[in-house]
Amino acid sequence: MMGKSETTNEIQNEKNKLHIKYLIAIASFISLGSIVLSLCEKDIFVAQVSFASTITSIVLSVIAIWMSISGERTTNDIKIRILESTERLAKTTENVEILNNKNESIMNTHLDELNDVKEKLESIIHSVDVVGEQVTIMQEKVNTAPNIPRTADDQTLTTEQKIALFRNLYTWAVDYASDSKKYRAWLLCEMTQKFIENQKNSKPNVYREAMHYLETINANLNKWGKIINAYWGALCMLSMSSVFSDKNAVNKISETITPWLDSQPPIDTDDKPKS
């Protein structure tokens, strides 16, 4: 009940305030109208009102001109900012296009490099397959070679067997293609000599070092890469069979390869023009 009474009193007070405002406005309007009506016939009052209106018009005109100038200045500033933003946007777009072109170029370069890596991997896989096939042929030749003495337990190779292994490899290498047998024999003998030196110096046989050595003596690695890989696989197999750790076998092998050792390779007959 107490709260309801207070709300009613507040509403009534607001109504009273509103009525007072209405009365003040009406009284002001009536007073102003009475003054105007009482003085409208006097020239001085009319002149003063006219003068006041003129001054007011002039002041309002000046204010309007100032606002127009200020507004135009603001508009120019906004226009300049819009132009600057447009230029920055154009430069950003250009930079984005340049970056896109660079990224596309980089992606194309990486794609080409990946394709090169893929080709090299395929070449290596093919070379490994070739090595496997040729080592199999060698094993067949060794197994069918006559008059090779064998040990009693048929596990450890004798010196004669080790020599026979290399001779079969040498024969296979030279007879593989009669037109290029000198070059092929030279390649095998140079690589064999490197294996013998590494065995004497207790150094491991590293493929990369072997390729570098052949490069220093002007071997054609591009043309004979597959054959070199086949020799490498076969020589590694001989090394694992302790062929190059047997001094007597190494002496016999050296007798075979020494005539072929030279700093310059023999003429590759495959490169000669055919008449």
Side-chain angles (χ1 to χ4, degrees):
M1 290 293 291
M2 203 64 181
K4 200 173 197 182
S5 175
E6 289 179 356
T7 304
T8 304
N9 292 332
E10 289 179 1
I11 294 173
Q12 187 63 39
N13 290 333
E14 292 295 329
K15 286 182 179 181
N16 294 334
K17 289 179 182 180
L18 185 60
H19 291 320
I20 292 171
K21 290 179 181 178
Y22 285 154
L23 292 173
I24 292 172
I26 292 169
S28 299
F29 181 74
I30 292 172
S31 299
L32 184 60
S34 299
I35 294 170
V36 172
L37 289 174
S38 62
L39 298 175
C40 63
E41 294 180 357
K42 293 182 179 183
D43 295 335
I44 295 174
F45 178 76
V46 174
Q48 288 177 350
V49 171
S50 178
F51 178 73
S53 299
T54 303
I55 294 299
T56 303
S57 298
I58 292 171
V59 172
L60 292 174
S61 299
V62 171
I63 293 173
I65 292 169
W66 179 82
M67 291 183 68
S68 297
I69 294 172
S70 177
E72 184 178 357
R73 190 174 300 167
T74 304
T75 303
N76 288 333
D77 291 341
I78 294 172
K79 181 180 178 182
I80 291 171
R81 290 180 182 177
I82 291 173
L83 290 175
E84 290 176 353
S85 299
T86 304
E87 290 177 358
R88 287 198 297 269
L89 183 60
K91 289 181 180 179
T92 302
T93 304
E94 185 178 353
N95 291 333
V96 169
E97 290 178 354
I98 293 172
L99 287 174
N100 286 335
N101 292 333
K102 286 183 179 179
N103 289 333
E104 185 177 358
S105 176
I106 292 171
M107 289 296 293
N108 290 333
T109 302
H110 289 337
L111 184 60
D112 292 339
E113 291 176 354
L114 288 174
N115 288 332
D116 291 339
V117 171
K118 179 182 176 182
E119 292 177 359
K120 289 178 180 178
L121 286 174
E122 290 176 350
S123 176
I124 291 172
I125 292 171
H126 181 71
S127 299
V128 171
D129 292 338
V130 172
V131 170
E133 293 175 0
Q134 295 179 351
V135 168
T136 301
I137 295 173
M138 273 188 53
Q139 289 175 337
E140 292 176 355
K141 287 181 173 289
V142 170
N143 292 333
T144 57
N147 300 324
I148 297 179
R150 301 184 179 275
T151 58
D153 55 6
D154 202 26
Q155 292 181 355
T156 304
L157 296 176
T158 64
T159 298
E160 289 76 10
Q161 285 179 312
K162 295 173 182 177
I163 296 171
L165 278 174
F166 179 78
R167 285 178 178 171
N168 277 288
L169 171 61
Y170 178 83
T171 301
W172 165 77
V174 173
D175 291 344
Y176 190 85
S178 58
D179 292 339
S180 58
K181 63 182 180 179
K182 290 184 179 180
Y183 196 90
R184 292 169 60 90
W186 172 77
L187 279 175
L188 177 62
C189 293
E190 288 287 352
M191 293 179 70
T192 303
Q193 178 63 19
K194 201 65 180 172
F195 267 75
I196 293 173
E197 289 179 1
N198 289 339
Q199 180 66 36
K200 288 180 180 179
N201 297 325
S202 300
K203 290 177 59 179
N205 293 300
V206 180
Y207 179 82
R208 183 175 57 202
E209 293 179 0
M211 296 304 103
H212 177 69
Y213 171 73
L214 291 176
E215 190 175 12
T216 58
I217 60 175
N218 300 320
N220 191 340
L221 301 183
N222 292 328
K223 178 179 178 181
W224 296 98
K226 293 180 181 179
I227 298 300
I228 292 171
N229 289 338
Y231 290 170
W232 174 262
L235 290 171
C236 284
M237 188 180 72
L238 294 183
S239 179
M240 287 186 292
S241 300
S242 303
V243 172
F244 302 119
S245 60
D246 188 323
K247 292 183 179 180
N248 294 327
V250 168
N251 290 334
K252 289 293 183 179
I253 292 171
S254 297
E255 292 177 3
T256 303
I257 66 174
T258 299
W260 291 99
L261 301 178
D262 194 358
S263 58
Q264 293 296 327
I267 297 174
D268 187 355
T269 54
D270 285 355
D271 293 336
K272 286 186 176 181
K274 294 183 180 179
S275 57

